[in-house]
Amino acid sequence: MSFTRSRCARALAAGTLSLALLSAGTAAAFAANEKPSPSPTTHMTGKPKPTSSPSMDKASITLTAKPTTVKTGESVKLAGRTSGLKIGSPLVLQHEVNGKWTKLTPTTVVKKNNSYAMTAKLPKGTHVLRVVSANKAGKAVSPTVTVKVS
């Protein structure tokens, strides 16, 4: 009789184990389809990462020069728009000399409508110009414009 009893106990144990594994597999599949909910005891440490929109991911600057050909002593108006820069962010005019960018005197800041403007008097020659903003998020650089001064 003990032989039958142990055989019955083994069969019962195997059935119970099979049922438990089947239930766990079904529960895991069901849980995989559900969205996780935050635990009420969960808390964050440090600063949360700011969410950003695609337009704020990278700062950009446009640049136009009017006129692009002037005589010595005449002013050139440089203007453009920015995106991804805070109002009041400083902007610097640079020109290329022997492959290196150097700062020029006129500077400005981003205005309320994300625009900027400045005037420059340049010496005789051909000048490749750009506008740069260096902020905590990185460096934004405008495309270049060429101004000829004769």
Side-chain angles (χ1 to χ4, degrees):
M1 219 186 222
S2 69
F3 179 70
T4 312
R5 217 183 250 175
S6 81
R7 192 178 225 181
C8 186
R10 277 188 273 164
L12 183 60
T16 305
L17 182 59
S18 296
L19 182 61
L21 290 173
L22 182 61
S23 296
T26 305
F30 180 72
N33 290 333
E34 285 192 15
K35 293 179 183 171
S37 60
S39 168
T41 59
T42 303
H43 66 281
M44 293 176 54
T45 58
K47 291 183 179 180
K49 289 185 179 181
T51 57
S52 61
S53 64
S55 63
M56 297 299 283
D57 284 348
K58 190 171 183 180
S60 65
I61 305 172
T62 64
L63 173 62
T64 58
K66 291 184 182 176
T68 55
T69 303
V70 294
K71 293 188 181 203
T72 304
E74 292 180 344
S75 294
V76 176
K77 183 177 179 181
L78 303 154
R81 297 189 67 73
T82 66
S83 121
L85 295 175
K86 290 183 179 180
I87 295 168
S89 295
L91 300 173
V92 176
L93 179 65
Q94 294 181 335
H95 71 135
E96 188 177 22
V97 178
N98 298 325
K100 293 184 181 181
W101 291 99
T102 59
K103 180 180 172 183
L104 292 173
T105 304
T107 61
T108 189
V109 295
V110 177
K111 296 179 185 172
K112 285 185 181 180
N113 58 359
N114 293 322
S115 66
Y116 69 92
M118 65 181 100
T119 58
K121 287 187 179 181
L122 302 167
K124 189 175 183 176
T126 301
H127 301 275
V128 178
L129 305 171
R130 71 180 187 181
V131 173
V132 178
S133 172
N135 58 24
K136 290 179 184 177
K139 190 175 189 178
V141 180
S142 74
T144 60
V145 296
T146 302
V147 177
K148 294 180 182 179
V149 182
S150 57

